[in-house]
Amino acid sequence: MSGIASILAVTGGSVIDPHIGPLEGAAVFIEDGRFAAVETDAKKIKARLKSISDENIFDATGKLVTPGLVDLHVHLREPGREDEETVISGALAAAAGGFTTICCMPNTSPTIDDQETVRFVLSEAAGAACRVHVVGAVTKRRAGKELAEIGDLVKAGVVAISDDGDFVQNPDLMRRALEYARMFDITIMQHAEDKFLVGDGVMNESFASAKLGLRGRPAVAEEIAVLRDIKLASFTGGKVHIQHVSARGSVDAIRRAKADGVNITAEACPHHFTLTDDEIEKKFDTNLRVNPPIRTRDDVEAVIAGLVDGTIDCIATDHAPHSSEEKDVEFDLAPPGMVGLETALGLVKTELIDKGYLSWTDAIHKMTVNPARIINQPHGELSKGHSADLTIIDADRQWKVDPARFKSKSRNTPFTGRTLSARVTHTILRGQISYSE
Ligand code: DOR
């Protein structure tokens, strides 16, 4: 199957249109790498298939067929740390996870804060296994002192701006950034953790951190940052997207802000709806170190409730590759972050769908249409004329996470050995197979 040149029809599967739901036995037709039609009438499907040769037909019998997944939050480490990930290796990992579009963060070395660096990443991404959009920095070198040339970044093709890894602490700078972002109709993706409150904390500030004698990053650091940005978004009319929401108070604040009509969106990561801080004591696995940190059961429940009621718009991975040399140290010396592209869909199925929180349609909505809207890009839908990007999923496959099999250059996952209940078998980008199991 993977050897065929172009796919012109995908048949036999259960097609999930995120706007409608599952369309049993529907066929997706593709022309010139773009969607031509989603057909549900068996007779019409048969007639149309007559003019397509077998080698251009992808048989998805028994599988789910969804629009290609979109991930707003990925670290590709290029330029600067190509030993951990490159644009090419990260795109391969993305394709293996079912993603056809990813956004890469600017905390590289050098920082993606000028046109040359944006163009460099985009040129590396040409021909990669996944479409790569670039998120430029809000401030020069992400130092939080001076705004980057936001207009130049937009001209070079960034789809959003973020100082991810760091909060834009200075409220006046954030205000100006939002005013510019509004002019260019782009969103600011905010790593919402007040720097003074997190200090040099390495895990959630809680009973668990006190017991372990590790410095804490309190939930209030995130909640205050979220509340400030809600005010600034409301004041400027600019769009703020809260990255990796991890605390109950943040979910509550975003819910209220949305009800008040504030231009705010939010994402949650699989680790924040799956893991709790007491795991750190059990395992002392440095792959559990992440910013913002994994928190309490109560926070996990709030994040899930936010996903269920739409307060949290999308699911993003925060795929953050780190080398084993750097992670193989004491907990508080390890850099924060974990890889996530190749486990995300499986965790969504196991933790959210199997447990009855989300339907497949809801989950796919949060991994396709919603993230695509936040970056104003025409992805994640099966609409005629859109790039023919599809994810093919075996929804009943049990598999064990084995980092040795990752396409990513890094292996830093806390989910090693965990059994997941769905797996991406193929990914199709622009009508061509970009990943085949
Ligand atoms: O844990 C994290 N790692 N959080 C971030 O915001 C940045 C990321 C990284 O780049 O490693």
Side-chain angles (χ1 to χ4, degrees), residues 73 75 77 107 164-165 191 244 289-292 318 320 322 336-337:
H73 195 154
H75 297 273
R77 305 294 189 228
N107 62 335
D164 182 42
H191 180 130
H244 37 45
R289 183 168 175 208
V290 62
N291 291 343
D318 192 7
H322 289 289

Side-chain angles (χ1 to χ4, degrees), residues 72 159 187 189 241 265-266 313-314 369-376:
L72 292 185
V159 294
T187 294
M189 299 177 169
H241 173 73
T265 54
D313 304 82
C314 44
V369 193
N370 284 0
R373 275 195 193 141
I374 290 165
I375 50 169
N376 277 331

Side-chain angles (χ1 to χ4, degrees), residues 165-186:
D166 286 295
F167 179 52
V168 182
Q169 184 77 43
N170 179 332
D172 182 50
L173 215 51
M174 184 63 180
R175 171 196 174 170
R176 306 287 165 210
L178 276 165
E179 287 167 350
Y180 274 108
R182 186 183 166 185
M183 244 155 56
F184 297 111
D185 195 25
I186 56 168

Side-chain angles (χ1 to χ4, degrees), residues 7 58 68-69 92 94-101 129-130 388-392 424-429 431-437:
I7 293 165
F58 185 103
L69 306 181
L92 273 175
F99 294 94
T100 51
T101 300
C130 178
D389 303 343
L390 292 168
T391 304
I392 315 291
V424 171
T425 62
H426 299 82
T427 308
I428 297 171
L429 177 69
Q432 310 270 338
I433 292 183
S434 54
Y435 168 76
S436 162
E437 194 189 4

